[in-house]
Amino acid sequence: MRPVLPPWSGTLAAKAAAFITVMCCALAALLGVLVHVQVTNQTVGQARDQALQRLTQATQRYEAGDTLWRGAGVDPPGLPRRLRELAVAGDRGTMVADREGRPTMWAAGPVDGGRALAVAVDYSQQARTIAGLDRAIVWSSGLAIGATLLVGAFAVTRVTRRLHTTARVARRISAGDLDARVNDPRTGPRTQGSPQDEVAAVAAALDSMAASLQGKLQAEQRFTADVAHELRTPLTGLHAAAELLPPGRPTELVRDRVAALRTLTEDLLEISRLDTGRERLELDTEQLGPLAERAVRAAGSGTEVRVVRDVSVETDRRRLERVLGNLVANAHKHGRAPVVLTVDGPVVTVRDHGDGFPEYLVAHGPQRFRTEGGARGHGLGLTIARGQAEVLGARLEFANAPEGGAVATLTLAAE
């Protein structure tokens, strides 16, 4: 089973810290080993030369019949067995071993009678030097790793902080705040011509994308508002003219189309007002159950209302009725009966038993002027419902029931 890592382990700062730590430890270990080996070889070499030189002097005194000094002797006690065997075989050698609890450099060579002449040189100072060097390497490596980690953490934190800022701005843009910008100081006019790092390039690209997207959306909103406003005057004339036509089937068709065109124009005007974000709420305390029943009656359709748990909500009654009316109308228009509106506390669901919402709508929400499957309409009803819900501070979600049918869920803030 794969182990579950804590969330912080996946951050760029944690990965950078781990990488710096591993590289610093590897570099410190490599340099420490090299220094240790070099100094140890030099120290041991000097002690070995000194011991061999004293062995030569002891051999000369032994051959001349003179008394050997302290630390030299034939087969002295404490002489390492391997070194004695080497000397008895006719070779000279050295070895570091303990003698009476002290580090000693032994040097031994052959003498008559299959014996070994050996000298012992105190090796304590050299051993302390090497041990002190090893401690210094460990402490200096630890300090170097700590200092490198601090510097690296400072540098990486600055980068990650800028990345987090860029990510927050991107989330604000995706949530609809098209005025959000990173405004990285490294992308300002004063830095023109100077090299930019990758984070600044990403921030500049995001700001440019947001500005372009905002310009296109504002142009679309202006176009929608202008078209709707320009259509109102001729539509008023058409409506007046249609009322003057003599009764008959052609007159009914003309009046029906003029009414549909007027409804479309009013929907476009409402969408343009929602796009500007200037809508103002008229809040009042309402019982959600009776309000839902009024919205269903106003829609004039056979919708069943179920109140599981009624609550009081502070809301704009007109806007909330508009949202519920659009959801019910959409369920009857694009779904199949029975259509059920359920109030369960601050949550209102509208359920039909048709083919369900299209996949694009469930994934991305309603899109104006888009319908699928030969459905009639302009895709504005749900768009208006989503916009009015946002003005109310409510959450409107779309899903398909497992057993079939579309489910729209409106979640309000209860008192």
Side-chain angles (χ1 to χ4, degrees):
M1 183 177 178
R2 186 176 180 181
V4 179
L5 299 176
W8 57 264
S9 62
T11 62
L12 179 61
K15 293 178 180 178
F19 176 76
I20 293 173
T21 302
V22 171
M23 294 304 298
C24 286
C25 291
L27 183 60
L30 177 61
L31 293 177
V33 169
L34 291 177
V35 172
H36 173 83
V37 170
Q38 181 69 23
V39 174
T40 300
N41 289 339
Q42 182 178 0
T43 303
V44 172
Q46 293 175 351
R48 180 181 293 113
D49 292 342
Q50 181 183 2
L52 290 175
Q53 183 179 5
R54 297 191 64 178
L55 177 62
T56 300
Q57 296 173 355
T59 302
Q60 292 174 354
R61 293 178 66 89
Y62 178 80
E63 292 175 349
D66 295 337
T67 303
L68 298 177
W69 60 77
R70 179 179 173 84
V74 178
D75 291 336
L79 178 65
R81 181 177 58 83
R82 292 178 57 190
L83 183 58
R84 183 181 183 283
E85 292 174 353
L86 178 67
V88 170
D91 295 324
R92 301 176 65 187
T94 59
M95 180 179 291
V96 177
D98 285 341
R99 182 191 182 193
E100 297 178 357
R102 298 172 63 88
T104 302
M105 174 66 75
W106 289 91
V111 292
D112 297 338
R115 296 179 297 173
L117 176 63
V119 296
V121 179
D122 185 23
Y123 191 70
S124 300
Q125 181 63 39
Q126 291 86 341
R128 286 193 295 270
T129 300
I130 295 175
L133 174 66
D134 291 341
R135 288 193 297 271
I137 291 175
V138 171
W139 280 104
S140 60
S141 298
L143 291 175
I145 292 173
T148 306
L149 275 176
L150 290 176
V151 175
F154 174 75
V156 172
T157 301
R158 294 188 62 187
V159 174
T160 55
R161 188 183 300 115
R162 294 167 60 197
L163 288 175
H164 285 310
T165 300
T166 304
R168 283 196 301 271
V169 172
R171 285 191 290 268
R172 289 173 56 191
I173 293 173
S174 65
D177 184 6
L178 299 181
D179 291 323
R181 296 292 185 273
V182 180
N183 292 327
D184 194 306
R186 293 165 181 79
T187 61
R190 296 182 180 179
T191 61
Q192 295 295 329
S194 59
Q196 291 183 348
D197 59 13
E198 289 77 2
V199 180
V202 172
L206 180 63
D207 286 350
S208 176
M209 181 200 69
S212 176
L213 180 62
Q214 185 178 34
K216 291 179 180 179
L217 289 179
Q218 288 176 345
E220 178 186 344
Q221 293 168 2
R222 286 194 299 269
F223 175 77
T224 301
D226 292 344
V227 168
H229 279 289
E230 292 297 327
L231 285 175
R232 295 189 75 176
T233 301
L235 278 175
T236 302
L238 280 175
H239 179 72
E243 294 296 326
L244 298 176
L245 292 175
R249 180 60 179 166
T251 298
E252 293 178 2
L253 293 175
V254 170
R255 290 176 178 174
D256 178 69
R257 293 299 87 196
V258 170
L261 192 56
R262 289 189 66 182
T263 300
L264 174 61
T265 303
E266 294 300 325
D267 287 347
L268 289 175
L269 284 172
E270 186 170 358
I271 287 177
S272 67
R273 290 193 299 269
L274 292 172
D275 286 339
T276 59
R278 298 176 181 176
E279 295 288 276
R280 294 293 179 264
L281 294 174
E282 297 179 2
L283 297 177
D284 198 1
T285 301
E286 301 282 346
Q287 286 297 122
L288 191 53
L291 188 149
E293 293 174 349
R294 289 197 303 271
V296 169
R297 286 197 301 269
S301 55
T303 301
E304 179 184 356
V305 179
R306 299 175 182 173
V307 180
V308 178
R309 180 169 57 93
D310 198 6
V311 294
S312 296
V313 293
E314 187 176 10
T315 186
D316 188 320
R317 180 181 58 82
R318 180 184 64 84
R319 297 183 189 278
L320 182 54
E321 289 180 350
R322 173 69 159 156
V323 173
L324 297 179
N326 279 17
L327 294 179
V328 169
N330 183 82
H332 282 282
K333 186 174 183 179
H334 299 289
R336 286 192 296 270
V339 175
V340 181
L341 186 150
T342 304
V343 177
D344 188 0
V347 180
V348 182
T349 59
V350 178
R351 162 79 190 280
D352 65 55
H353 292 76
D355 297 329
F357 290 120
E359 292 298 328
Y360 82 88
L361 193 148
V362 175
H364 306 291
Q367 300 177 22
R368 62 192 71 175
F369 298 107
R370 177 173 179 177
T371 56
E372 289 188 357
R376 296 181 296 108
H378 305 282
L380 300 182
L382 294 183
T383 303
I384 292 173
R386 168 69 67 87
Q388 293 288 11
E390 291 177 354
V391 174
L392 292 172
R395 185 173 72 254
L396 180 58
E397 299 172 314
F398 303 94
N400 291 321
E403 60 274 17
V407 180
T409 303
L410 179 68
T411 304
L412 299 162
E415 285 191 327

